[in-house]
Amino acid sequence: DAGITQSPRYKITETGRQVTLMCHQTWSHSYMFWYRQDLGHGLRLIYYSAAADITDKGEVPDGYVVSRSKTENFPLTLESATRSQTSVYFCASSESLMQTQYFGPGTRLLVL
Amino acid sequence: SQQGEEDPQALSIQEGENATMNCSYKTSINNLQWYRQNSGRGLVHLILIRSNEREKHSGRLRVTLDTSKKSSSLLITASRAADTASYFCATPSIQGAQKLVFGQGTRLTINP
């Protein structure tokens, strides 16, 4: 009954380090999404995935890498973190692209 | 690819009053969704209204859609302190593959 979970919930890292944010859903939804939320910009789509091994770029993909080897997991990796990637990251899932999305609790990332 | 824009950006009312938030969009849509975000939490889906629907209710929530004006409104009746949150509309993106795009939200504060 967990739904959609994210880990870690809070992360502090340094510029240049690699960071991976995890997302796990228990509904077997086909679609999964990564967003970042910043003041003044609202919610912006980073990457999304239609199924295992199928991913596509969103509005702000630069500096991020995703993978989806299993339907239930959708990790987001910052290969070399920058201060501009300080943000709150939300993972979401849905049955189809334009239907209801179910959001995780978010990960607050601070890059020093 | 910004599509929906909420208005006002912030709204503060007394408990018991009604709150109305608006969303305007640019192109034809097949549905429009409203989400709520409590402070520090992920977004929660409230209502999906299809393009052939003019009004939809869910408890104290009423959503209207006027496709001729390309606008939607969310009405919360008999507001409560627990309604304090940010409210977002989500519409299909203008560019590229059809994806949901979230507006920047209306921050609603209910004063006791």
Side-chain angles (χ1 to χ4, degrees):
Chain A
D1 192 45
I4 183 164
T5 57
Q6 293 183 235
S7 62
R9 294 293 313 280
Y10 304 91
K11 178 73 178 179
I12 300 174
T13 190
E14 295 176 339
T15 301
R17 291 192 179 269
Q18 184 179 82
V19 177
T20 295
L21 309 183
M22 304 301 293
C23 179
H24 175 79
Q25 53 112 350
T26 60
W27 293 302
S28 298
H29 284 165
S30 297
Y31 285 86
M32 296 187 76
F33 308 84
W34 274 108
Y35 296 90
R36 60 177 291 175
Q37 187 175 34
D38 307 284
L39 281 175
H41 290 282
L43 215 62
R44 292 182 290 176
L45 181 65
I46 305 170
Y47 269 96
Y48 69 103
S49 169
D53 298 321
I54 301 176
T55 63
D56 207 349
K57 296 178 180 179
E59 185 183 352
V60 288
D62 293 344
Y64 302 95
V65 174
V66 293
S67 61
R68 194 159 177 215
S69 57
K70 293 184 178 181
T71 302
E72 60 266 30
N73 297 323
F74 191 38
L76 175 74
T77 298
L78 289 68
E79 293 192 301
S80 179
T82 65
R83 291 193 181 89
S84 65
Q85 292 177 311
T86 291
S87 185
V88 182
Y89 291 84
F90 288 99
C91 179
S93 70
S94 69
E95 292 181 343
S96 64
L97 199 53
M98 295 305 300
Q99 295 304 311
T100 299
Q101 292 189 14
Y102 298 86
F103 283 78
T107 294
R108 291 183 178 273
L109 176 68
L110 174 61
V111 183
L112 299 174
Chain B
S1 61
Q2 187 67 34
Q3 167 78 294
E5 293 185 5
E6 294 90 346
D7 172 65
Q9 290 188 347
L11 179 62
S12 181
I13 61 173
Q14 294 300 120
E15 194 167 18
E17 294 180 338
N18 296 342
T20 300
M21 289 155 274
N22 303 295
C23 173
S24 59
Y25 56 92
K26 296 183 176 67
T27 64
S28 299
I29 58 172
N30 50 18
N31 72 56
L32 182 145
Q33 302 180 36
W34 284 93
Y35 288 78
R36 182 187 75 231
Q37 184 182 32
N38 291 91
S39 181
R41 309 289 290 272
L43 277 70
V44 174
H45 180 260
L46 295 176
I47 289 183
L48 182 153
I49 186 166
R50 304 188 191 285
S51 58
N52 61 352
E53 297 174 311
R54 291 294 168 261
E55 189 171 305
K56 204 162 181 179
H57 296 255
S58 176
R60 293 182 296 111
L61 306 181
R62 188 187 95 178
V63 168
T64 61
L65 180 63
D66 187 333
T67 53
S68 66
K69 295 182 179 178
K70 293 186 170 59
S71 69
S72 174
S73 67
L74 171 66
L75 168 67
I76 304 174
T77 60
S79 63
R80 304 168 182 169
D83 295 327
T84 294
S86 291
Y87 292 83
F88 297 84
C89 69
T91 51
S93 62
I94 297 172
Q95 300 170 356
Q98 286 276 292
K99 297 182 291 295
L100 278 185
V101 176
F102 292 81
Q104 295 200 24
T106 292
R107 181 181 296 276
L108 174 65
T109 301
I110 308 300
N111 301 304

